[in-house]
Amino acid sequence: MLRDTRVEINLSHIRENMMKIRHALPETVKLMAVVKADGYGHGDVASAQMAKQAGADLLAVAYLNEALRLRANGIEMPILILTPINPQEVMFALEHQFMLTVTSASWFEEMRAYKHCSTVNKLQVHVKMDTGLGRIGIQSKEEWDELVPWLQAEDVIVDGFYTHFATAGKADTSFLRQQHARFIEMMEWSKASGLKVNSYHCAGSAAALRFPELGMDMVRIGAAMFGFYPEQLVDTVKLKPALSLRSNIMQVKLLHKGECIGYDNSYRADEDQWIGTVPIGYADGWSQSMRGTEMLVQGERTPIVGKICMDQLMVRLHGPCELGTEVTLIGSQGDDQITFAELAAHLGSVSQEISTSISPRVTRIYKNEGRYDGYETITNHH
Ligand SMILES: *Cc1c(COP(=O)(O)O)cnc(C)c1O
């Protein structure tokens, strides 16, 4: 069953964005497509397929369950899991040949109790270094020295050695340079240890697009694949958003001067005005903090009025309109468009928080080369 409120995903844009990124990189740099959080809300399996068509070599996700979901849907590309998994679950990783992020000797120690010899597969790991993001990873030489003996084990392959930048999308590059210098220093530790490391990598979307020389052996591209990138800082490629969000007006009424609408009488009309109800609410991922933003109805900007409810919200129309009139919450309509960037600026967040917040209750419609390419609803999404 289709709901009026639907996300439309233009798969060709995902593929084209990835091809442009591929061409902007030196040929020797491997391309890893990051499809965590259901492909930033665009569909993990579909995004992985588009990335592969565009020349991506590997995939990454944040968690083990996301990697298992890709395998269950027939995705056979190598997959890196960016967050350390529970050591107890190591056999899942071996069975499916996932590459694991490791950050400590204690992880290995615990994992050893759960790795049976029944599999011939070697454990493929990427060591994560913390050069300044302060999230996960090894910070000191002591931690590294403790880890090395575990990495030297016969059944372990050190596939990668990596870090992640904190400020790659900012105009000021001083902290980025500092992190990069620290990473170079840490790479020397790995070289001195005599371990064979297959690839060194540090750049996500913003770093890879702004500074191709940071590409090293591989780049990890998430945001840019979906058209999210610091446009004002990157003039080499032009990427397109792939997702739009639309709905239809379900009720229209005239609100008289002085009357209120919404929970807690949150909006009072200071003159007679037309109000439309749109079937999307915070349970669909349209947070109450979206109050103050606009959507497009008949090509005109239409503000949200009153508190956003769980399943509906109200807008102030420019005049009466027919039931079923299309509403564009993200994307273009007529000559105007509502961009992720403008919504993110209102929320004080980033585009990917908005795309990943759209809940599974919203129907997903896939288009490829302008053609309808299937849909998913909550009944078959999980
Ligand atoms: C999410 C993530 C990425 C992708 O970053 P984008 O800016 O979306 O390209 C890369 N590396 C790591 C470690 C991540 O967690």
Side-chain angles (χ1 to χ4, degrees):
M1 210 202 306
L2 292 163
R3 249 186 88 191
D4 275 355
T5 300
R6 71 266 177 201
V7 150
E8 287 170 15
I9 292 145
N10 197 330
L11 294 175
S12 8
H13 287 186
I14 298 178
R15 184 173 49 234
E16 286 161 24
N17 288 340
M18 214 46 167
M19 284 167 77
K20 285 184 194 160
I21 296 162
R22 175 71 273 178
H23 290 133
L25 296 166
E27 261 177 50
T28 50
V29 177
K30 280 181 282 180
L31 182 58
M32 172 178 271
V34 182
V35 297
K36 61 191 179 188
D38 196 26
Y40 291 39
H42 296 66
D44 51 358
V45 175
S47 304
Q49 286 163 341
M50 291 306 116
K52 183 162 198 282
Q53 287 176 19
D57 307 282
L58 311 94
L59 299 173
V61 291
Y63 295 110
L64 178 61
N65 60 342
E66 296 180 309
L68 289 169
R69 218 178 98 90
L70 290 171
R71 282 284 184 271
N73 283 281
I75 303 292
E76 290 174 354
M77 292 165 81
I79 302 173
L80 169 63
I81 301 176
L82 298 164
T83 312
I85 69 166
N86 290 328
Q88 298 91 309
E89 291 171 334
V90 69
M91 292 307 286
F92 286 105
L94 284 164
E95 183 189 339
H96 295 282
Q97 303 250 45
F98 297 140
M99 299 178 288
L100 301 180
T101 293
V102 295
T103 57
S104 70
S106 61
W107 182 89
F108 267 96
E109 196 169 359
E110 204 183 327
M111 178 277 291
R112 282 294 171 198
Y114 299 93
K115 182 177 180 292
H116 331 133
C117 312
S118 54
T119 170
V120 292
N121 293 341
K122 293 196 177 187
L123 194 64
Q124 303 172 68
V125 302
H126 286 234
V127 186
K128 179 74 178 287
M129 309 306 283
D130 182 3
T131 54
L133 180 60
R135 187 168 66 178
I136 53 171
I138 288 180
Q139 292 180 309
S140 69
K141 180 73 164 51
E142 290 68 40
E143 288 169 90
W144 168 254
D145 288 340
E146 260 184 76
L147 182 59
V148 169
W150 298 97
L151 297 175
Q152 284 165 333
E154 281 232 325
D155 58 351
V156 172
I157 296 176
V158 186
D159 233 347
F161 186 97
Y162 75 112
T163 194
H164 195 53
F165 295 122
T167 61
K170 295 282 166 214
D172 180 350
T173 59
S174 52
F175 193 73
L176 180 92
R177 305 260 160 234
Q178 203 176 303
Q179 279 195 271
H180 181 241
R182 177 66 173 158
F183 190 52
I184 301 283
E185 208 176 301
M186 289 171 153
M187 283 167 64
E188 292 306 322
W189 306 346
S190 84
K191 285 170 186 164
S193 69
L195 283 166
K196 182 179 176 310
V197 175
N198 292 335
S199 50
Y200 291 93
H201 48 110
C202 61
S205 294
L209 290 173
R210 292 178 69 196
F211 311 105
E213 68 276 14
L214 294 184
M216 296 191 178
D217 297 313
M218 181 161 91
V219 295
R220 307 181 302 267
I221 304 295
M225 172 167 44
F226 305 107
F228 307 149
Y229 70 120
E231 230 170 308
Q232 66 289 358
L233 298 174
V234 177
D235 52 16
T236 44
V237 294
K238 189 104 190 77
L239 305 173
K240 291 185 202 158
L243 186 155
S244 52
L245 176 62
R246 297 180 209 281
S247 190
N248 302 93
I249 300 271
M250 60 179 287
Q251 193 186 305
V252 176
K253 63 176 147 291
L254 182 63
L255 189 69
H256 295 102
K257 181 177 177 178
E259 288 175 347
C260 291
I261 53 165
Y263 282 121
D264 307 331
N265 298 145
S266 40
Y267 178 75
R268 183 185 301 271
D270 53 13
E271 56 184 355
D272 287 3
Q273 53 196 231
W274 289 92
I275 298 292
T277 302
V278 185
I280 184 170
Y282 57 78
D284 298 301
W286 214 251
S287 154
Q288 288 203 329
S289 317
M290 285 291 193
R291 197 173 165 192
T293 67
E294 298 169 321
M295 40 195 78
L296 297 169
V297 179
Q298 295 178 320
E300 290 195 277
R301 286 186 170 252
T302 309
I304 296 173
V305 290
K307 286 191 179 177
I308 296 174
C309 313
M310 187 185 284
D311 313 304
Q312 289 95 11
L313 56 78
M314 278 69 84
V315 291
R316 189 174 69 231
L317 300 168
H318 291 265
C321 72
E322 287 194 11
L323 294 187
T325 299
E326 186 168 273
V327 180
T328 299
L329 293 94
I330 302 172
S332 52
Q333 187 190 94
D335 299 329
D336 204 351
Q337 58 173 330
I338 306 287
T339 64
F340 274 102
E342 89 176 68
L343 298 170
H346 172 84
L347 292 178
S349 183
V350 289
S351 301
Q352 45 273 51
E353 181 180 343
I354 299 167
S355 69
T356 56
S357 296
I358 302 171
S359 84
R361 194 170 78 168
V362 177
T363 298
R364 261 70 175 171
I365 295 173
Y366 292 97
K367 289 185 174 167
N368 203 348
E369 313 283 6
R371 284 193 315 273
Y372 176 72
D373 198 48
Y375 71 90
E376 284 181 12
T377 73
I378 195 165
T379 53
N380 64 357
H381 190 72
H382 286 288

